[in-house]
Amino acid sequence: TVLQPYGVPNVPFDIALDYTLDPATKVLDVKTLEIGMRGQAKFVLSLAMDGISGMAGAKDDARLRTASLTVDDTGLLGKLLPAWAKEEGVQPEELVQTALTGLAAFAAQQGPDTLKSLDAVASFITDWKAPKGPLVLGLKPAKTAGLSDLDKVALPDALTTEFGFTATYPGTKAGAAKAGPK
């Protein structure tokens, strides 16, 4: 019911979690964390991390090996974005244009591999009213990455070379990331 004020109907949530935490090797392996909102969206996360023996110190010691997030939106953004925009006193398209402007500024410094992934993200954002399939984001750093490595993200192509970022979306339009707002 928490999302009802935003126009999202009261639907059942389906949650599946399959993970292992090995204290001896300090490895967290989340094979699947799936959250499904029937008729609205499904989010599927998987990841593997080193340096996890518990919550204490995890932010300092944790190192990401791989991660994948699939966002399969079948109506959720079409309800949430207008409600969020109303709260902000703007039109939904203004929020979309702001996101695309920031993405275009970041894309201006990037090479072809990074742009291909950013095009997928920009296309998904543009299609917020009716996505053309799931957005799949992936990270597979060249070597494990921690919070201290995030400062490298701003470097040209570090997103793909350092962090192994990938993004796919069936409705990807080439050049969408650099195009910015329309």
Side-chain angles (χ1 to χ4, degrees):
T1 59
V2 75
L3 295 176
Q4 281 180 334
Y6 301 101
V8 178
N10 189 14
V11 297
F13 275 66
D14 299 313
I15 300 174
L17 176 61
D18 180 8
Y19 78 98
T20 56
L21 175 58
D22 185 342
T25 61
K26 296 184 177 185
V27 173
L28 171 64
D29 184 9
V30 178
K31 291 173 184 38
T32 303
L33 170 56
E34 183 176 315
I35 301 171
M37 295 176 61
R38 295 182 195 168
Q40 302 299 310
K42 180 168 62 170
F43 304 90
V44 181
L45 173 71
S46 64
L47 61 85
M49 297 183 77
D50 294 326
I52 306 288
S53 58
M55 294 313 290
K59 73 175 181 66
D60 299 323
D61 301 330
R63 308 285 301 168
L64 180 69
R65 279 193 210 168
T66 63
S68 173
L69 174 65
T70 301
V71 178
D72 192 1
D73 179 9
T74 53
L76 185 62
L77 281 176
K79 292 177 179 77
L80 288 180
L81 200 56
W84 179 29
K86 185 177 179 181
E87 282 185 357
E88 296 294 319
V90 298
Q91 294 298 311
E93 284 301 326
E94 289 180 61
L95 295 175
V96 170
Q97 300 309 317
T98 299
L100 292 173
T101 298
L103 194 56
F106 181 76
Q109 305 283 327
Q110 308 304 318
D113 289 341
T114 304
L115 285 174
K116 182 179 175 185
S117 292
L118 294 177
D119 284 345
V121 174
S123 297
F124 183 79
I125 292 169
T126 301
D127 292 344
W128 68 274
K129 290 180 184 175
K132 295 171 177 63
L135 173 66
V136 180
L137 307 172
L139 290 173
K140 188 171 184 180
K143 55 184 180 182
T144 60
L147 288 176
S148 63
D149 296 310
L150 287 178
D151 62 339
K152 297 175 188 167
V153 168
L155 299 174
D157 290 322
L159 201 55
T160 50
T161 59
E162 296 287 326
F163 297 96
F165 177 72
T166 58
T168 59
Y169 170 62
T172 298
K173 297 168 202 78
K178 278 191 167 182
K182 295 178 172 70

